[in-house]
Each structure stands twice: as C-alpha cells, then as structure tokens.
Amino acid sequence: MATVSAKGVSKLFGTFKALDDVSIDFDDGGFYGLLGPSGSGKTTLLRLIAGFEFPDSGSISIGGEAVERVPTEKRDVGMMFQSYALFPNMSVFDNVAFGLTVRRLPASEIRKRVGEALQLVRLDGLDQRRPHQLSGGQRQRVALARAIVIRPRVLLLDEPLSALDKALRTGMQVELKRIQREIGITTIFVTHDQEEALTLSDRIGVLREGRLVQEGAPRDIYERPNSAFAATFLGDANLFEGAVEDGAVRLAGGPLVRTDDPLPAAGASVTVAVRPERMTVRLEGDDSGPEHNEIGAQVEAAIFAGNSLTYHLKRGDMPIRVFVQNSGAAPVAAGTPVRLTWQPAHTIVVSR
Ligand code: ATP
C-alpha cells in the first residue's frame, strides 16, 4: 500500500498538451475516481503512474519515492485495463498465477496466493475453467484477481466495468468496493460514468482538457461544484446568468435570487447553478413554503420514470429541469404556468 502523488505533471503528444500542470495526491488505501469527458487526459494520467508514459515536466511518486524514471515492472502496481484480455487457452488458475509464475515463486506459494485471490473475488471452485466457460462478470473478476495476486502497492483500473451490461456492472461495483476495502489497497480508477464515480470513490478528480478542475469527496463536489463544467458533468444542473445586486443575484429577466455563497462586488456578472432535485414546482395559488427563491416558468412536459418524474420547463427561452419523487399525485399538465422555489443554500455560485 502506498500514497501516490503527481506534482505539476504535464504530458505532450507532439504539440498537444494531454495533461497540463496536474497536481493530485492519492492517499494510502483510498479509492480514487478520475472523471472527465473523452480525451480529458484520464488514461494518460493512469499510464504515467503505471510507467507506460513519462511526463514532460513535473514528478510522480509512489510511497514517497520519485518514479518518473523507474520502469513499469519495478513500480509494483497492479493494472486492469479496458481490454482485460485473459489468456484463452489457459485455465482460470493459470491466468491468475501468471504474474507469480514469471516472478518464479515456489509452487506451494503460488497455489496459496491464487487460492486466496480467487476466494476474494468469489471464484473459488472455478479455477479449472477456461475463460470461454465464464460469464462476462466472472471474466472481469479473473482479471481483477490477476491484478491483485501480485500484492501490488497500487491498483490502477481503466474503465474496469465498461464491458459489462448494466445489471452486472452494478453488481461488480459492489464487489469491487468490497474487495478494495478488504485489501485496503490504494486504488485509482478511470471512468466517464458519473454514477460509477459517485458510487465507488472516496474522492474524485474531475479532469477537463488535461487540467484538474476540481478534486474532493463525491458529496462535496456534487453539493459545491466550483464551475459550470463540474456542476453539469457530475450530475445535472440548471444554470442561470445574473448580476450581483443588494447581496443577491438579479437574474436576467427579473427576479432576485439569494445565495449563502460569497458574492463578488455589486454589478459583477455571475453564474449560479441549482440542482434539479432542489427545486419545488408550485402552482400559481400555492403557498410559497419556507423557500426564499422563486421564479416563474411554464411546464413543457412531465416525463414519468417510475420512481421519479422529470419536469421539462421553460422560462422564456431558457430550459429548466426539475426532478421530483413520484408521490402518486397526477403531474402538472403541459402548458401550466408554475412557480419554482428553492433555498438560498442551494443556489451555488460557479465560475463559467
Ligand atoms: P477516454 O475517456 O476517451 O478514454 P481520456 O480522458 O482517457 O479519454 P486520454 O486517453 O488520456 O483521454 O487522451 C487525452 C488526449 O491525448 C486525447 O486527445 C488523445 O487523443 C491524446 N493522446 C493520448 N495518447 C496519445 C498518443 N500516444 N499520441 C498522441 N495523442 C495521444
């Protein structure tokens, strides 16, 4: 187990900056998610930690030791990448044993360790099967057993569950989290699936165009995104433009919206984000409730999704979404003018 740290890391491919001055610490034993759109540099950062690429500037350390010039095989990292190809003509046992066999461990030690790894991923009893006799989820677990059997200090996972269908994926997320907790290994995984990042990670780093734009606990990033990008990439957000006035934000088109966040000087332009589940839809005559912010809008559609309902609304030309729990009540009909209310604490000031 070890701390992994990147300091001021930049990586160029020709003149293209795939990573731009990225600094991030991955604490010992933590489960870290790297999240960002396609091409934002997630895999490149993982490959630099693994030693498949070398930084143009900055430094990477594992367990406090600088590793920029240490070759992959000496870094003591376990890896499971998107294409987790197993050896098709080898048994599950031999696939998992591979890393130990090349390290020339004694046969008895190999048997013991492979047995433990298979037990951990709940595949004991299947050790003589060939990969084609396994389900997708079982193959994934063989790949995971193969990565952890060498007892690496760090586990790197690149889109580990992307090949699985939704149901298997959810099951494997729970398994992955359990296994990571049991062995307590520092784990860094790449995903572009925000739900997966929120479910698995102790901390998340959000990347955009090679830069780390926010880093923190999933809940903190969700509740306090620092930019419009982070607000919309991790979760859904309604964004409003306005100008500071009387310690609040005057939205384009009228209403004054309060926030608990610090604001710049009067007159400054600001963007605020409001999560769709924080807004309440109220009919014209309804009581305003205890929420202090209120804007008018019109319902365009109410989309039923089983346990919840999504309202698509318009305020002038501006689309707004509101999520509500399905209470069993009939939804507000399309075309109805409504008022949307929410609390100042849920008005998040973000950078554009
Ligand atoms: P995805 O979610 O699509 O896997 P990513 O965030 O992992 O994306 P990277 O694979 O890190 O993105 O790539 C970052 C950028 O660097 C991309 O624009 C990619 O085209 C570029 N890139 C990556 N590897 C190379 C390479 N070997 N040569 C040239 N460009 C590269």
Side-chain angles (χ1 to χ4, degrees):
M1 314 317 129
T3 305
V4 178
S5 169
K7 284 204 174 50
V9 168
S10 294
K11 176 68 192 171
L12 290 153
F13 292 111
T15 55
F16 177 77
K17 233 178 193 176
L19 286 177
D20 188 2
D21 195 19
V22 170
S23 296
I24 183 167
D25 290 323
F26 305 97
D27 290 343
D28 192 4
F31 203 135
Y32 277 83
L34 294 175
L35 184 68
S38 184
S40 56
K42 307 179 295 292
T43 299
T44 303
L45 183 54
L46 219 57
R47 289 174 61 81
L48 285 163
I49 296 167
F52 296 136
E53 304 281 359
F54 299 96
D56 290 295
S57 56
S59 65
I60 291 177
S61 64
I62 300 177
E65 175 206 0
V67 293
E68 295 92 72
R69 300 290 150 200
V70 176
T72 301
E73 63 277 11
K74 299 240 164 75
R75 290 195 186 191
D76 203 10
V77 296
M79 284 168 287
M80 185 172 142
F81 279 30
Q82 237 159 7
S83 50
Y84 55 93
L86 302 174
F87 303 111
N89 48 7
M90 276 165 48
S91 67
V92 166
F93 183 95
D94 290 337
N95 263 284
V96 176
F98 186 75
L100 303 176
T101 313
V102 297
R103 284 174 174 76
R104 298 177 192 280
L105 264 69
S108 59
E109 177 70 12
I110 293 179
R111 262 197 311 281
K112 178 168 161 280
R113 286 228 217 157
V114 173
E116 284 168 3
L118 288 177
Q119 205 168 12
L120 194 65
V121 300
R122 301 199 168 137
L123 283 180
D124 28 342
L126 299 186
D127 53 337
Q128 289 316 312
R129 293 253 187 111
R130 297 288 160 98
H132 75 270
Q133 296 168 312
L134 300 173
S135 71
Q138 288 170 331
R139 280 201 288 270
Q140 199 100 44
R141 282 186 274 160
V142 176
L144 185 59
R146 190 173 60 177
I148 59 184
V149 78
I150 57 165
R151 297 185 184 159
R153 292 189 294 171
V154 180
L155 186 60
L156 304 176
L157 309 170
D158 191 354
E159 302 269 2
L161 309 179
S162 63
L164 303 180
D165 66 37
K166 177 93 175 114
L168 260 182
R169 218 179 149 110
T170 312
M172 269 302 285
Q173 284 174 1
V174 177
E175 284 289 278
L176 200 54
K177 187 95 185 162
R178 173 187 65 81
I179 292 163
Q180 194 269 342
R181 280 223 187 92
E182 268 184 55
I183 56 180
I185 188 171
T186 311
T187 303
I188 307 170
F189 87 110
V190 159
T191 183
H192 58 251
D193 180 333
Q194 46 160 292
E195 192 188 313
E196 191 160 290
L198 288 169
T199 312
L200 287 173
S201 320
D202 299 323
R203 292 183 82 78
I204 292 175
V206 183
L207 286 160
R208 181 190 196 185
E209 293 171 359
R211 292 186 148 263
L212 183 73
V213 295
Q214 194 167 6
E215 194 270 330
R219 201 182 172 91
D220 293 339
I221 299 186
Y222 187 80
E223 300 296 350
R224 305 261 50 101
N226 61 8
S227 60
F229 174 81
T232 49
F233 198 74
L234 197 72
D236 206 333
N238 295 303
L239 298 172
F240 300 97
E241 305 292 339
V244 178
E245 183 184 313
D246 290 340
V249 180
R250 174 74 66 191
L251 298 191
L256 200 61
V257 163
R258 308 218 162 266
T259 175
D260 291 352
D261 286 2
L263 283 166
S269 300
V270 285
T271 303
V272 296
V274 186
R275 296 284 184 202
E277 69 275 19
R278 301 298 188 197
M279 290 179 144
T280 306
V281 177
R282 296 179 194 275
L283 293 172
E284 285 295 342
D286 285 356
D287 173 17
S288 285
E291 301 173 316
H292 297 295
N293 289 321
E294 177 174 326
I295 58 173
Q298 190 166 41
V299 174
E300 295 255 292
I303 310 291
F304 177 67
N307 60 359
S308 68
L309 199 68
T310 300
Y311 280 108
H312 292 263
L313 305 109
K314 275 258 165 88
R315 175 182 164 74
D317 286 343
M318 201 200 144
I320 301 175
R321 278 176 310 284
V322 177
F323 303 149
V324 293
Q325 286 278 309
N326 177 8
S327 65
V332 180
T336 311
V338 293
R339 293 175 301 131
L340 302 176
T341 62
W342 71 95
Q343 295 172 21
H346 297 143
T347 310
I348 314 158
V349 177
V350 294
S351 69
R352 251 296 172 193

